[in-house]
Amino acid sequence: MKRYDAIIVGGGHNGLACAAYLARAGRKVLVVERRERIGGAAMTEEVFPGFRFSVFSYVVSLLRPEIIRELELPRHGLHILPLESTLTPLRPDGKAGDYLAQWSDHDQNRRELARHSVRDAEAYDEFGLLLHRMARAIKPLLGVAPPDPASLDLRELWDLWRLGRYFRGLPEKDLHALWKLLTMSAADYLDEWFEGEALKGTKSASGIIGTLLGPRSPGTAYVLLHHYMGELDGVFRAWGFARGGNGSVSAAIAAAAQAHGAEIRTQAPVSKILISGSSATGAVLDNGEELRAPIVVSGADPRRTFLGLVGEQHLPDEFAAAIRRYKFRGSSAKVNLALAEPPRFICMPQPGPHLRGAISISPSVDYLERAYDDAKYGEISRRPYMDIIMPSMLDPAMAPPGKHVMSIFVQYAPYHLNGGWNDARREELGDTVVNTLAEYAPNLKSAILHRQVITPADIERIVGLSEGNIFQGELTLQQMFFLRPAPAWARYRTPIRGLYQCGSGTHPGGGVMGAAGRNAAMEILGARA
Amino acid sequence: MSDVVVIGADANGLVAAHLLARAGHKVTLVQEHGARERTSGWVPAALARELALDVAVEWPDPWLRAPLDGGGVLELWRDRAKSVDSIRRLSARDAGAWPRFCERMSALARLLERIYLEPPPSLVDLRFALRVRRLGREAMEDFMRLLPMPVAELLDEWFASDVLKGALGALAVRHLHQGPRSAGTAFRLLHYHAGSPSGVFRSPMSNLAALLHTRAGVGMREAKVSGITVRGGEVTGVVLDGGQELRAPLVLSAADPRRTLVELVEPGLLDPDLLRALRNVRARGVAAKIVLTLERAPEWQTLTLAPSLDYVERAYDDVKYGRISAKPWLDVMADGASAEVHFQYAPHEQSTDATIGERAAKLLAPYLPPIKQGKVLAPPAPWPEGQPHQAELALDQAFWMRPLPELAGYCTPIKGLWLCGQAMHPAVAGIAGYNCAREIGRA
């Protein structure tokens, strides 16, 4: 029997990042992945012949620059293509139809905003600067294991003191601005700045992603910041698409891990984490094979890890209760389309740069709130929010020549659907999405060659994310920082000695960020991040 | 010539005025609107002691009565054992959880009480952090988890019964432009629990303002204030509607901060950033009040109609889009043959709409003696946009943020001008005035 220093359960991007850092430090590491391919939700698949999709997660923005740097990801094949615009088509009134476009060119963007509201164009830069400053203020939090404020442990007290000193050093004005972002609704927050419905709708949309909250619920303003933290090549706010799809992010991290000597096994589903006394000693695969290591790191979400792979009998009651009440409530779905021709939006019928950016169906805050109202009571949004990109416009290798792939992120599709998910409801969701989008781009229906619809139940079944939550648990204030996933256990450690967590269910949460994997590795290695 | 002028004769203005008078100031209180007879809110012992007041504070008992679907009623009493008995008829599990829930919540309410009797701590106040730490691990974790939580989620963690959760959830969002599934609403349950006995999640009523209103020691003027005069950055007095000026180096305003600083103070004296922030203070009224005259007195004091969290949430959905709730949640307080109905949600602009009375009467008919007469009352004038807290009590407008970080210490950028109304920490009638007067004493 082979022995390892550490076994990583789950070959998602965080597990791979954790493996890469451990291997880089000279540890003998094995990654075991249940599926036939690595990447978890960050993967590319040729779903239909010639058409390749980032089936689940589809953009890169939050990937930590230090990870790109330290693991030399570009050398291992990562190439990020920027998404430079966001187009928000407005309700097609009559023939013309209006739109709001946000461009990366400052002057062009300002002219476009001023076309809708001079006041908003004036406020936009100041708003951007403030959020930029807030994102910077909170950035040091992303790279550290959050200290538990109730702890008496000297090391944690030291971390707590350092963090306290850091925040006390910030201007009081910034602290208050940060508090507002943490506690306000995206809608209220944006109301303080802007008047344009389309602008507020599109901005607040980033506040609701991955959660079952509407833009008028407090707590959604913070996620707005989370999405401002995207940092590409040192440039804040830039979003990008990985050449070859998001699978190439995972592939690059895996290649880095392997270059440092990590071993990766696919089709190796773990059925149980081995525990002897109160220490982890390894993992058992479905086929009965036992793998031994003094350190086991789980990239699976907290529910699967503790209630599934570990088992409640090995856990303190209070901890098990905290994991049970940890909220997932997946609310997002994905529709992937193979198209014979690009969509022609009523508001911008000619193919152009807008198709190389994001397209957002979010004409107003009320539109999003109504979409949420449906989901709140267990129904698919009748008119959903959609975030669309056309990967084949950026990377032609994603589709056969002249043809295209379209990736549609959809919200809300509640995991706890009345009556449950089945094939008919999945198709209903697909139809709702296509019909809604076709109102803005009428040629869409006839252009569709193939359609793949992924519900939260599918995400759970295929990728293994509980309740299909794309962040391994909602990013709400009571589940963040030192409370993620459970109070007193937010530092990647667990009540079981030698068992660690490294998934998005730990601080700082979701997005293809890699921070949790890196932080967990640092914690295991006892190094300062 | 007096040396202090207080604007507003609500509990806050009266408490501040009398405290300053006892400290030796000559105080004139300008009463803009008649005094209200009953004050809603907790009266801390320290406040009553300092003013030598014999306040009568009362909760209805049972403090919550909610009718059940198939007849019968859920009753929550001050006596915990009686509450447990009543809950047991709905769910044995919930009855088992109730005492523990009450203990956990009351530990947190005791902390709030201490925070409420002082000016708000600063966001990075070490003493405050240590105080929270001293709570011990369990209460501290509860506090940090609970503050940002939706009240629906908190109640779902503890209970299964819809009626119990619906009624508690409704009371938590009283006068708030949010539903029970909105984040940050669990804090409101604690807010109304502070100062109440364990197991009572409703503010008491008292005769605080009525007692002070008739007490000697403060000069009372009935007039409307039309301006606050400022010279060289310092307040010099107030101008009344008729043009008369009351000169004073110290002016306290229990009116809402927007009215005080934007309308009463001459434009141009304040920083534009502060004015912009003031305009952004949220004060949205969401409730209507109906007074019913009944043919006879009902056998109970209180009745809450909020059968489930979803019911309350759906009522909120309407107001999000500017409509009166088709099915509002209602809270009735009976006093003899007359009853006061709290109707939520109704957007402020429509809070006296005729349909409100009809909707309430129809929903209440099965539970009330026949109604002789009903009247929808306009919200009291000192409530901006119909919001009794003057600034909605949400986490982003609480503690060190209330109503704005720049004003959280009760003083304003104008020397000698202080704020002491409900918009100030802690948004409990009387206590904001108490804290403000004490701060003035320290200054």
Side-chain angles (χ1 to χ4, degrees):
Chain A
M1 188 173 58
K2 261 178 115 171
R3 291 191 66 89
Y4 296 91
D5 293 330
I7 295 169
I8 316 277
V9 181
H13 75 284
N14 273 314
L16 293 168
C18 184
Y21 277 95
L22 291 179
R24 199 173 75 129
R27 305 299 159 96
K28 196 167 154 56
V29 181
L30 171 70
V31 180
V32 279
E33 166 56 42
R34 182 174 55 96
R35 303 187 64 209
E36 67 289 350
R37 66 180 74 228
I38 54 150
M43 62 97 151
T44 309
E45 189 180 345
E46 189 170 321
V47 180
F48 307 108
F51 294 93
R52 299 168 69 220
F53 292 93
S54 294
V55 179
F56 304 98
S57 77
Y58 58 102
V59 284
V60 187
S61 88
L62 300 169
L63 187 60
R64 305 301 305 145
E66 61 267 28
I67 296 178
I68 299 180
R69 215 165 43 234
E70 290 162 357
L71 298 182
E72 301 176 280
L73 297 185
R75 197 163 69 82
H76 293 291
L78 180 68
H79 186 94
I80 295 169
L81 307 158
L83 287 164
E84 293 194 335
S85 63
T86 302
L87 173 72
T88 308
L90 304 180
R91 279 299 314 237
D93 297 313
K95 276 188 208 150
D98 197 2
Y99 61 85
L100 171 75
Q102 292 167 263
W103 306 101
S104 61
D105 180 83
H106 179 265
D107 293 343
Q108 189 184 8
N109 192 49
R110 194 183 164 90
R111 277 196 302 277
E112 169 66 4
L113 285 172
R115 190 168 71 79
H116 293 269
S117 155
V118 174
R119 214 192 91 184
D120 288 359
E122 300 281 330
Y124 194 82
D125 287 349
E126 207 189 320
F127 176 83
L129 282 174
L130 178 73
L131 261 73
H132 185 126
R133 208 166 68 235
M134 294 298 104
R136 264 191 200 292
I138 210 159
K139 214 179 95 178
L141 267 183
L142 297 182
V144 298
D148 170 19
S151 172
L152 295 172
D153 178 89
L154 277 180
R155 214 187 114 186
E156 291 200 38
L157 281 174
W158 167 249
D159 285 359
L160 202 60
W161 187 78
R162 277 201 329 171
L163 216 56
R165 198 183 51 172
Y166 169 74
F167 278 104
R168 284 169 70 91
L170 291 178
E172 206 167 0
K173 207 173 68 173
D174 285 5
L175 285 174
H176 292 136
L178 210 51
W179 179 265
K180 281 179 81 153
L181 273 166
L182 284 171
T183 53
M184 283 181 84
S185 75
D188 285 339
Y189 195 83
L190 292 163
D191 272 343
E192 293 193 357
W193 289 88
F194 304 116
E195 60 186 10
E197 278 304 323
L199 181 63
K200 286 193 284 188
T202 305
K203 285 245 170 261
S204 66
S206 61
I208 58 168
I209 286 173
T211 142
L212 191 64
L213 290 172
R216 293 195 194 285
S217 176
T220 48
Y222 167 74
V223 195
L224 205 129
L225 182 65
H226 205 261
H227 284 256
Y228 251 81
M229 279 188 278
E231 227 179 327
L232 270 178
D233 302 324
V235 182
F236 266 100
R237 282 189 301 145
W239 286 71
F241 171 79
R243 177 179 288 167
N246 256 0
S248 42
V249 177
S250 304
I253 301 175
Q258 282 166 325
H260 287 297
E263 203 178 309
I264 298 171
R265 278 176 66 179
T266 53
Q267 289 179 293
V270 170
S271 64
K272 203 166 86 182
I273 288 172
L274 281 172
I275 290 157
S276 149
S278 58
S279 303
T281 56
V284 188
L285 301 186
D286 269 4
N287 61 12
E289 187 185 345
E290 286 193 10
L291 303 162
R292 297 277 173 178
I295 288 175
V296 178
V297 190
S298 174
D301 67 56
R303 183 183 291 174
R304 283 176 67 91
T305 302
F306 296 108
L307 306 184
L309 300 176
V310 172
E312 282 191 45
Q313 69 277 17
H314 295 291
L315 299 168
D317 290 347
E318 205 181 315
F319 179 78
I323 297 299
R324 273 198 307 269
R325 73 186 178 210
Y326 180 77
K327 287 267 182 306
F328 289 90
R329 304 195 301 178
S331 58
S332 333
K334 193 73 194 295
V335 174
N336 295 316
L337 299 178
L339 300 177
E341 58 169 351
R344 285 193 297 272
F345 286 90
I346 295 174
C347 61
M348 248 187 222
Q350 298 310 318
H354 63 284
L355 295 180
R356 288 199 293 276
I359 294 150
S360 180
I361 305 298
S362 51
S364 69
V365 171
D366 274 357
Y367 178 95
L368 301 177
E369 189 69 30
R370 282 179 211 277
Y372 165 61
D373 286 347
D374 291 331
K376 189 159 69 170
Y377 305 109
E379 286 303 323
I380 299 168
S381 302
R382 278 165 286 187
R383 305 183 71 82
Y385 158 66
M386 292 178 236
D387 184 47
I388 302 158
I389 68 165
M390 303 262 315
S392 51
M393 284 283 173
L394 295 148
D395 177 2
M398 297 299 282
K403 304 217 164 50
H404 289 280
V405 287
M406 181 187 258
S407 156
I408 310 173
F409 172 88
V410 185
Q411 212 163 304
Y412 301 81
Y415 175 80
H416 296 285
L417 185 69
N418 295 336
W421 285 100
N422 54 38
D423 290 349
R425 298 308 299 272
R426 184 189 300 114
E427 292 317 305
E428 180 194 330
L429 171 65
D431 292 345
T432 304
V433 166
V434 169
N435 290 338
T436 307
L437 192 55
E439 286 179 23
Y440 301 91
N443 72 324
L444 184 77
K445 281 188 189 175
S446 59
I448 297 175
L449 301 170
H450 308 282
R451 175 173 103 178
Q452 180 190 33
V453 184
I454 297 164
T455 69
D458 297 329
I459 297 177
E460 182 179 61
R461 184 174 44 82
I462 302 168
V463 193
L465 292 166
S466 293
E467 298 187 18
N469 186 292
I470 58 171
F471 294 152
Q472 286 199 349
E474 277 189 289
L475 272 179
T476 49
L477 212 45
Q478 68 269 28
Q479 300 195 154
M480 285 198 307
F481 306 124
F482 49 84
L483 298 170
R484 191 170 186 88
W489 296 106
R491 288 166 76 91
Y492 312 100
R493 294 166 192 271
T494 69
I496 292 161
R497 203 172 314 128
L499 176 64
Y500 291 82
Q501 308 173 75
C502 71
S504 324
T506 57
H507 173 80
V512 184
M513 199 191 281
R518 178 178 181 272
N519 290 356
M522 295 299 164
E523 194 66 17
I524 293 165
L525 296 169
R528 295 260 159 227
Chain B
M1 163 111 185
S2 60
D3 64 3
V4 180
V5 173
V6 178
I7 303 168
D10 66 347
N12 284 314
L14 285 161
V15 165
H18 281 276
L19 278 174
L20 292 173
R22 286 175 83 87
H25 292 277
K26 186 163 179 290
V27 183
T28 305
L29 190 143
V30 185
Q31 180 178 340
E32 294 200 291
H33 316 280
R36 283 155 57 79
E37 276 185 18
R38 281 150 66 78
T39 308
S40 160
W42 156 51
V43 183
L47 188 157
R49 200 167 49 237
E50 276 183 51
L51 286 172
L53 279 174
D54 189 17
V55 193
V57 180
E58 52 177 37
W59 289 265
D61 200 30
W63 61 269
L64 184 118
R65 285 179 78 261
L68 304 177
D69 247 356
V73 64
L74 165 72
E75 288 175 327
L76 299 180
W77 302 78
R78 289 183 66 167
D79 180 345
R80 203 184 282 172
K82 282 166 87 174
S83 302
V84 169
D85 276 344
S86 179
I87 298 171
R88 187 166 295 122
R89 267 168 255 143
L90 302 174
S91 151
R93 216 198 87 194
D94 288 2
W98 181 252
R100 184 92 189 94
F101 177 75
C102 293
E103 276 159 31
R104 295 271 282 264
M105 293 306 122
S106 106
L108 304 183
R110 299 297 93 86
L111 173 69
L112 266 197
E113 286 164 17
R114 289 205 294 278
I115 297 173
Y116 278 7
L117 282 176
E118 285 171 8
S122 113
L123 185 52
V124 285
D125 189 333
L126 272 181
R127 271 178 323 167
F128 175 65
L130 288 174
R131 176 183 284 176
V132 175
R133 250 184 92 98
R134 269 206 301 277
L135 283 172
R137 175 174 281 283
E138 183 182 77
M140 182 176 165
E141 281 169 11
D142 272 354
F143 191 64
M144 288 182 304
R145 264 191 84 231
L146 192 143
L147 279 189
M149 232 192 211
V151 69
E153 207 173 302
L154 174 74
L155 295 169
D156 281 337
E157 278 183 7
W158 284 90
F159 306 114
S161 151
D162 279 338
V163 178
L164 179 63
K165 290 190 288 187
L168 290 175
L171 293 183
V173 294
R174 194 182 179 97
H175 287 300
L176 184 67
H177 195 285
Q178 295 290 352
R181 295 203 188 283
S182 297
T185 46
F187 152 66
R188 302 271 308 214
L189 190 75
L190 285 186
H191 174 78
Y192 290 118
H193 187 30
S196 294
S198 178
V200 179
F201 296 88
R202 184 196 281 280
S203 295
M205 297 301 278
S206 77
N207 58 350
L208 175 67
L211 277 181
L212 288 172
H213 200 253
T214 52
R215 170 184 275 211
V218 167
M220 301 289 277
R221 281 292 295 265
E222 255 178 75
K224 201 163 160 47
V225 174
S226 62
I228 293 172
T229 54
V230 178
R231 204 147 299 149
E234 292 181 28
V235 77
T236 54
V238 304
V239 182
L240 304 182
D241 233 3
Q244 192 198 345
E245 193 180 347
L246 301 177
R247 298 181 64 84
L250 198 56
V251 173
L252 280 71
S253 171
D256 79 276
R258 204 165 4 202
R259 168 149 192 265
T260 306
L261 294 174
V262 181
E263 290 170 27
L264 296 182
V265 171
E266 199 183 315
L269 291 175
L270 291 166
D271 180 20
D273 277 349
L274 178 67
L275 293 175
R276 185 171 83 165
L278 275 168
R279 274 192 293 274
N280 281 331
V281 169
R282 275 171 293 116
R284 297 168 292 189
V286 287
K289 191 163 115 178
I290 307 146
V291 173
L292 300 176
T293 313
L294 307 173
E295 282 195 359
R296 56 170 198 280
E299 287 120 41
W300 41 261
Q301 261 185 296
T302 176
L303 179 81
T304 305
L305 223 58
S308 71
L309 287 167
D310 270 358
Y311 179 96
V312 180
E313 188 68 28
R314 282 184 200 276
Y316 165 58
D317 287 346
D318 284 325
V319 85
K320 283 195 296 196
Y321 308 107
R323 298 188 300 261
I324 299 170
S325 301
K327 288 185 170 173
W329 70 267
L330 304 171
D331 189 39
V332 188
M333 286 290 177
D335 183 8
S338 104
E340 250 185 47
V341 183
H342 175 93
F343 178 112
Q344 193 165 331
Y345 301 76
H348 171 57
E349 311 75 49
Q350 302 166 46
S351 66
T352 51
D353 197 282
T355 56
I356 286 172
E358 290 158 27
R359 277 182 210 185
K362 208 169 140 201
L363 284 166
L364 288 171
Y367 312 104
L368 285 183
I371 299 166
K372 277 211 298 220
Q373 200 196 352
K375 197 174 168 216
V376 183
L377 299 185
W383 296 5
E385 297 177 46
Q387 174 54 254
H389 292 125
Q390 292 183 342
E392 271 170 73
L393 184 59
L395 275 186
D396 64 298
Q397 299 191 146
F399 309 118
W400 41 79
M401 306 295 289
R402 189 158 184 84
L404 293 170
E406 301 90 317
L407 301 173
Y410 304 94
C411 55
T412 68
I414 294 165
K415 196 161 173 263
L417 177 61
W418 295 73
L419 297 168
C420 68
Q422 281 296 79
M424 309 307 292
H425 173 79
V428 179
I431 304 184
Y434 173 79
N435 286 350
C436 176
R438 280 159 51 105
E439 275 302 282
I440 291 171
R442 283 190 198 122

